[in-house]
Amino acid sequence: VCSSDLADFVAVHARAALDAGASAAELLEVVMQVVTFAGFPAALRAFAVVEKELALRHTTVPIPRSGRAVVVSFFHALQSGDLESALNVIAPEALWSIPGDTALLPWAGQHRGRAAIREFYELLNDETETESLNLGPIIAHGDLVMVRGEFAYRFPHSQGRYAGAFIIAFTVHDGLIERYEMHEDSLALARGYRNASCA
């Protein structure tokens, strides 16, 4: 089954659920459950389809409240290139903690507050080209939400590359991300960024 067929399938069922009286919040909660059974990429695609169906009915996407829903909406916004929507689910004084030495990786370190987090993503966007990003399951327990994934970057300025796995630990409270802790092989990432094999 191709992805366009799946999108059509989700759209038909989303319209039917809305016609039967389901609320936008209920529909999005169903999408959150897709993460558990079909994986993160499928959930993000379903989220985009539901978001489009809601827009056609002039209904706004409700602000997610559960930790799992907040994290899914955060990744959906980032993957859509919508940094503003991603920032809207981040607490005003949130802390982003990225391992590594800033002398080796310019985006490493701690970034506190939405303005600093915006600068982090803008710098990351300037310094990297994402070749692949695969998000794994979400494990949520109370305010803690964990996501495992794999990604590959290309670094245009050095022609270096890096591919590896990561785990992100989110702390979500009252519908907003308060803390983001990246766990990755920062040394290997720095070597790829600097293209150490050519040094």
Side-chain angles (χ1 to χ4, degrees):
V1 181
C2 71
S3 60
S4 62
D5 291 340
L6 289 173
D8 291 342
F9 179 81
V10 172
V12 165
H13 286 279
R15 286 192 293 271
L18 290 167
D19 289 344
S23 70
E26 289 169 330
L27 206 54
L28 288 175
E29 188 55 41
V30 170
V31 172
M32 298 311 128
Q33 299 307 314
V34 170
V35 174
T36 303
F37 301 103
F40 217 107
L44 290 177
R45 288 193 300 272
F47 189 97
V49 171
V50 169
E51 188 176 44
K52 182 178 177 182
E53 290 301 320
L54 291 174
L56 290 172
R57 293 174 185 240
H58 306 289
T59 302
T60 57
V61 176
I63 297 171
R65 303 304 295 175
S66 74
R68 181 188 300 264
V70 169
V71 169
V72 169
S73 66
F74 168 75
F75 277 117
H76 171 67
L78 282 185
Q79 290 194 327
S80 301
D82 186 357
L83 183 56
E84 292 307 314
S85 292
L87 291 168
N88 284 339
V89 295
I90 296 172
E93 292 302 313
L95 178 64
W96 252 229
S97 182
I98 314 299
D101 182 345
T102 55
L104 301 176
L105 283 175
W107 60 85
Q110 295 197 335
H111 312 275
R112 182 174 291 281
R114 285 182 182 154
I117 293 167
R118 176 195 301 278
E119 290 173 8
F120 160 76
Y121 282 110
E122 289 172 349
L123 178 60
L124 191 64
N125 189 55
D126 290 343
E127 295 287 335
T128 67
E129 289 180 5
T130 303
E131 294 184 327
S132 65
L133 174 62
N134 299 305
L135 299 169
I138 297 178
I139 300 168
H141 181 72
D143 289 348
L144 180 63
V145 180
M146 306 281 283
V147 178
R148 185 197 180 281
E150 297 172 352
F151 67 99
Y153 281 151
R154 190 176 83 76
F155 307 108
H157 79 281
S158 70
Q159 298 305 308
R161 281 190 156 78
Y162 170 79
F166 64 85
I167 293 175
I168 305 172
F170 292 89
T171 303
V172 181
H173 186 69
D174 287 338
L176 294 174
I177 300 170
E178 292 185 341
R179 189 173 179 91
Y180 170 113
E181 297 174 68
M182 171 65 87
H183 300 272
E184 62 190 350
D185 186 346
S186 59
L187 180 57
L189 180 57
R191 286 178 176 155
Y193 174 71
R194 297 169 63 83
N195 202 358
S197 62
C198 297

